[in-house]
Amino acid sequence: MKVHEYQAKALLAGYGVPVPRGEVAHTVDEAVAAAGKLGSLPVVVKAQIHAGGRGKGGGVKLARSIDEVRDLAGKILGMRLVTPQTGPEGKVVGKLLIEEGLGIARELYLAVLLDRTSAAPLIMASTAGGMDIEEVARTRPEQILKQVCHPTLGLLPFQARQLAFGLNLTGDAFRAFVKLATDLVRAYVALDCSLAEINPLVVTNEGKVVALDAKLSLDDNALWRHAEFAELRDLSEEDPLEVEAHRFRLNYIRLEGNIGIMVNGAGLAMATMDLIKLAGASPANFLDVGGGANAEMITNGFKILLSDANVRAVLINIFGGILRCDVLAEGVVTACRELAPKLPVIVRLTGTNVDQGREILSRSGLDFIVATDVADAAAKIAALRLGEVAAQAGANR
Ligand code: GDP
Ligand code: MN
């Protein structure tokens, strides 16, 4: 789960990470009032969307007067902000963060993420702050400093100091950084983050070290430990189909291709996505209906697949174990009767009650393409020749 910058900053401040003074605003009047409360100029007007790169897209602006705050707030609120991370469709700005403007001496980069190789949190720092860090990693990897954190002890003092030396910090800024980096790792662990990124982390003209930006991703699998996160969720920022799927307890993730898939079991879903790729096409989604799916969940899953305008064909690949093939077939038939899809539906079934399942499909009078096994399913997908279209749809998003 992603949260907005203003929420991330409030969470991090709770662990002692210094952030600029500021307030969220939903209207132009609130923005003006927030700027008035700050009592100093300039102020920064920042679009709050679940994507980075806002500065480049015109979503972060410095205002030198209250009139300018009013003007900028009016322009940014409601705008469709396109950044390198939003895709060409952009995101509509519904909230602003109004912050005190700081005099910046240096822009650094600092982030904590999960390193799967060492199976521990990894803290990364760089003097190349405020830039596209992926680009730095590709072209100047030596400019990224790394320390693997102990899973329970966190960032040890000598590690924090090594980072601070590497960033050429001295004096008060050195000490402030050591504390901030340690606090950031503490926050990362306590909040069950999968990413905590500060870009830029700035050294101000007064020598203070402040998180000028903040991005947190909270691990969905740990949300049950944080009832307090529920109110941080902003559904308007999430893919509506994913929100809908979540309501039906379906594991659905939207992808960029055009073959909608419905599978039981995450492993089979991954294998099915590979299968589609090997057949020269591209999956439109990941959908695991789970082992215990009933006809209603199948119907709901099928509806979600078909609501994706990119979907040109559907592949249902089910291994009937706990979920029996006849139950699956009933669900699919019900959904097809109701939705009357005008696209090819390929069904590959095997396992418990497979004969009854196939019987239900063929007696339905509906036009399914039945695949006898996985290789046959792949051949039937390849025969649809949707590969080229898939590549194009991917490029368009
Ligand atoms: P992002 O583009 O979505 O990552 O948004 P950021 O919060 O990182 O802001 C983009 C850029 O705006 C930063 O890299 C800074 O250069 C600039 N910026 C943000 N806040 C301030 C501020 O208080 N003072 C100054 N001078 N620049 C700021
Ligand atoms: Mn940033």
Side-chain angles (χ1 to χ4, degrees):
M1 172 177 137
K2 289 183 181 170
V3 297
H4 287 293
E5 176 193 7
Y6 76 93
Q7 297 167 324
K9 281 178 167 167
L11 288 169
L12 292 178
Y15 289 83
V17 174
V19 298
R21 290 183 304 126
E23 215 172 278
V24 68
H26 303 82
T27 62
V28 173
D29 287 343
E30 280 181 27
V32 169
K37 252 196 255 173
L38 288 173
S40 64
L41 289 165
V43 302
V44 190
V45 180
K46 308 187 78 176
Q48 299 296 288
I49 56 168
H50 283 187
R54 296 161 301 165
K56 283 181 200 146
V60 178
K61 298 274 189 196
L62 212 60
R64 284 168 200 81
S65 67
I66 294 293
D67 281 341
E68 218 178 331
V69 171
R70 184 174 289 111
D71 185 44
L72 287 170
K75 281 189 182 128
I76 299 176
L77 268 178
M79 85 185 268
R80 187 170 283 277
L81 182 55
V82 178
T83 85
Q85 292 181 21
T86 58
E89 69 275 18
K91 277 182 181 283
V92 175
V93 181
K95 295 182 193 114
L96 300 172
L97 174 60
I98 306 298
E99 268 186 356
E100 58 176 336
L102 300 175
I104 301 173
R106 290 184 66 194
E107 295 198 348
L108 309 171
Y109 175 92
L110 187 66
V112 187
L113 46 91
L114 180 68
D115 177 34
R116 289 171 204 279
T117 309
S118 52
L122 176 80
I123 186 163
M124 298 200 303
S126 177
T127 53
M131 297 176 213
D132 181 357
I133 198 70
E134 286 81 6
E135 175 70 15
V136 179
R138 198 166 50 240
T139 55
R140 291 163 286 159
E142 72 286 351
Q143 286 190 12
I144 298 184
L145 313 169
K146 294 179 183 173
Q147 293 286 336
V148 174
C149 306
H150 189 281
T152 54
L153 300 179
L155 184 67
L156 298 174
F158 81 92
Q159 294 181 300
R161 287 195 298 269
Q162 268 183 15
L163 291 177
F165 282 124
L167 296 171
N168 302 318
L169 294 168
T170 55
D172 286 346
F174 184 102
R175 281 182 286 278
F177 174 86
V178 166
K179 178 175 182 305
L180 189 151
T182 312
D183 289 340
L184 184 65
V185 172
R186 227 161 35 83
Y188 174 90
V189 173
L191 298 170
D192 286 310
C193 298
S194 50
L195 173 74
E197 184 183 59
I198 300 178
N199 188 23
L201 174 71
V202 300
V203 182
T204 67
N205 293 336
E206 297 78 41
K208 292 211 169 71
V209 182
V210 181
L212 205 68
D213 191 8
K215 181 173 173 180
L216 288 186
S217 296
L218 306 168
D219 186 344
D220 289 331
N221 293 313
L223 290 181
W224 61 276
R225 296 209 284 210
H226 303 276
E228 73 279 12
F229 288 173
E231 66 185 38
L232 302 181
R233 182 152 225 144
D234 184 348
L235 291 178
S236 69
E237 290 283 333
E238 298 183 18
D239 186 305
L241 290 181
E242 290 186 9
V243 173
E244 181 91 343
H246 191 76
R247 259 192 340 119
F248 297 129
R249 291 177 294 117
L250 296 164
N251 292 312
Y252 171 89
I253 295 164
R254 201 163 172 194
L255 302 169
E256 306 192 331
N258 57 14
I259 311 267
I261 66 166
M262 180 152 76
V263 188
N264 62 331
L268 186 58
M270 302 296 264
T272 304
M273 289 171 19
D274 284 351
L275 173 86
I276 288 170
K277 282 280 187 191
L278 285 173
S282 202
N285 66 280
F286 170 100
L287 172 57
D288 168 16
V289 294
N294 52 28
E296 193 192 349
M297 283 173 81
I298 302 287
T299 313
N300 289 330
F302 207 69
K303 278 185 190 165
I304 286 166
L305 285 190
L306 295 177
S307 336
D308 180 347
N310 287 341
V311 167
R312 304 280 307 278
V314 174
L315 171 62
I316 299 174
N317 187 11
I318 299 287
F319 179 78
I322 300 168
L323 169 63
R324 302 182 334 246
C325 293
D326 54 326
V327 172
L328 179 273
E330 296 279 10
V332 171
V333 168
T334 309
C336 284
R337 289 234 164 85
E338 199 179 322
L339 305 167
K342 291 181 183 49
L343 39 75
V345 178
I346 302 169
V347 188
R348 178 260 176 172
L349 293 178
T350 194
T352 310
N353 292 358
V354 64
D355 294 335
Q356 289 98 309
R358 292 213 177 114
E359 177 75 21
I360 289 165
L361 293 182
S362 65
R363 263 195 295 123
S364 70
L366 295 164
D367 200 10
F368 296 109
I369 303 172
V370 178
T372 48
D373 57 26
V374 169
D376 187 36
K380 288 187 155 118
I381 291 162
L384 296 173
R385 308 200 135 274
L386 294 172
E388 305 82 42
V389 189
Q392 239 169 21
N396 287 341
R397 291 189 70 177

